[in-house]
Amino acid sequence: MVLWSQSTSTASVPLARHVAATRGGVRGARTQSRVLLTGPGWRRTQHSGLLRPQGLHETLIMLAAEPLTAAPTP
């Protein structure tokens, strides 16, 4: 998941940590969410343990490293 913050007033580290702790997927195969903090609003926040790419190129590299999973069919 990519969280964009345009300003420091909208950069919520507690929200980012909550999203990062969320697990998704089918029971028995749940995975933890990977969160990338993007945008100028994250500049002044402490975000230890969260991914903070330094630009679009680095963001795309991080996203490309994440294996894509197919959506389950009903």
Side-chain angles (χ1 to χ4, degrees):
M1 172 171 297
V2 177
L3 292 179
W4 175 273
S5 176
Q6 185 63 33
S7 68
T8 55
S9 65
T10 61
S12 173
V13 174
L15 172 64
R17 291 196 189 288
H18 175 75
V19 172
T22 303
R23 295 192 173 271
V26 296
R27 187 174 298 183
R30 294 190 175 169
T31 59
Q32 192 166 357
S33 300
R34 195 164 95 167
V35 177
L36 284 78
L37 306 177
T38 61
W42 297 104
R43 260 188 304 226
R44 297 182 195 159
T45 61
Q46 295 294 323
H47 41 69
S48 177
L50 297 169
L51 299 172
R52 173 70 171 106
Q54 297 303 306
L56 179 60
H57 184 258
E58 190 174 332
T59 300
L60 294 174
I61 289 171
M62 288 180 178
L63 290 173
E66 183 70 19
L68 298 176
T69 57
T73 55

